[in-house]
Amino acid sequence: MGNMVFTGLTMQNVRVPLYMAFFQQRACIDAPMEVEPMGSMKGFIFSNITCKFEKVAEKCAAYKEKITSKNSLIFISGLPGHNIEDVLFQNVFLETNGGAIKKDFENVEVPELDLKYLNDWWAGIYTYDRDSIVVPASGIYARHIRGLKLDNVITSTRNPDERLPIVIVDGN
């Protein structure tokens, strides 16, 4: 997957508006147990994007399940040895609630999105919700990435948040 451009997007109340995950999966219940070898994710441009997250809608199942609104606004995760490559974010403004305190994320390991953790199913931030994981960045969390470029990217929280705005693990 690659050479993709996403531009001119406006979102409202999207918990993790920019989410990229490189993982293996089985797309249906009767899929064979074997999965195809990993391919690649390279060459993405996200430009002129805004999102303001205030709350999960009351009619949403996430609201009823009391899923946290303490999230990272941009979440990018490759896998060890399988990086996401060459991603540009340009003219991006994202705002969320924030409000995380150290005990929410301190000493929390963010699991890899591998087949074992995913239990052979889809990756999604809901997987971390299920396990009460607060990602350790208020703005951008990226791991297993090469060539991440940020140009005029603003992430903000309305409430004080003790997390770093950007956390990059195994990447540049």
Side-chain angles (χ1 to χ4, degrees), residues 31 73 89 120-121 152 168:
L73 293 160
F89 291 97
D120 303 329
W121 202 240
N152 193 33
I168 297 177

Side-chain angles (χ1 to χ4, degrees), residues 73-86:
L73 293 160
I74 299 174
F75 179 93
I76 302 169
S77 182
L79 285 169
H82 299 281
N83 295 314
I84 296 174
E85 301 178 65
D86 302 331

Side-chain angles (χ1 to χ4, degrees), residues 57-164:
E58 291 182 28
K59 62 184 175 187
C60 179
Y63 179 86
K64 295 176 181 120
E65 295 166 15
K66 296 185 169 61
I67 286 177
T68 182
S69 59
K70 298 171 188 170
N71 51 56
S72 288
L73 293 160
I74 299 174
F75 179 93
I76 302 169
S77 182
L79 285 169
H82 299 281
N83 295 314
I84 296 174
E85 301 178 65
D86 302 331
V87 179
L88 168 64
F89 291 97
Q90 185 174 48
N91 301 325
V92 175
F93 175 77
L94 306 170
E95 181 182 57
T96 191
N97 291 323
I101 57 175
K102 259 192 177 151
K103 73 174 185 149
D104 292 332
F105 61 92
E106 193 173 54
N107 301 316
V108 171
E109 183 178 329
V110 180
E112 297 290 351
L113 295 173
D114 57 22
L115 287 172
K116 181 180 177 190
Y117 180 69
L118 295 176
N119 196 22
D120 303 329
W121 202 240
W122 292 90
I125 205 70
Y126 62 85
T127 309
Y128 294 155
D129 289 335
R130 177 194 66 212
D131 294 337
S132 301
I133 294 168
V134 175
V135 177
S138 63
I140 302 168
Y141 179 80
R143 68 176 169 193
H144 313 305
I145 185 161
R146 297 287 178 259
L148 174 63
K149 295 177 180 77
L150 306 173
D151 176 19
N152 193 33
V153 175
I154 299 169
T155 63
S156 66
T157 61
R158 279 183 298 287
N159 299 302
D161 195 301
E162 295 181 7
R163 296 174 291 174
L164 294 172

Side-chain angles (χ1 to χ4, degrees), residues 3-90:
N3 300 323
M4 301 173 90
V5 176
F6 304 89
T7 189
L9 302 173
T10 301
M11 296 172 266
Q12 184 74 25
N13 286 330
V14 177
R15 290 180 52 237
V16 184
L18 300 173
Y19 177 89
M20 295 179 73
F22 189 17
F23 62 96
Q24 289 183 294
Q25 70 177 37
R26 289 186 191 80
C28 59
I29 292 172
D30 60 351
M33 290 305 290
E34 301 78 29
V35 291
E36 295 292 320
M38 295 291 284
S40 65
M41 285 182 72
K42 182 176 184 176
F44 299 87
I45 297 172
F46 295 86
S47 67
N48 304 317
I49 296 173
T50 63
C51 181
K52 184 176 181 179
F53 175 80
E54 293 183 65
K55 65 178 182 175
V56 175
E58 291 182 28
K59 62 184 175 187
C60 179
Y63 179 86
K64 295 176 181 120
E65 295 166 15
K66 296 185 169 61
I67 286 177
T68 182
S69 59
K70 298 171 188 170
N71 51 56
S72 288
L73 293 160
I74 299 174
F75 179 93
I76 302 169
S77 182
L79 285 169
H82 299 281
N83 295 314
I84 296 174
E85 301 178 65
D86 302 331
V87 179
L88 168 64
F89 291 97
Q90 185 174 48

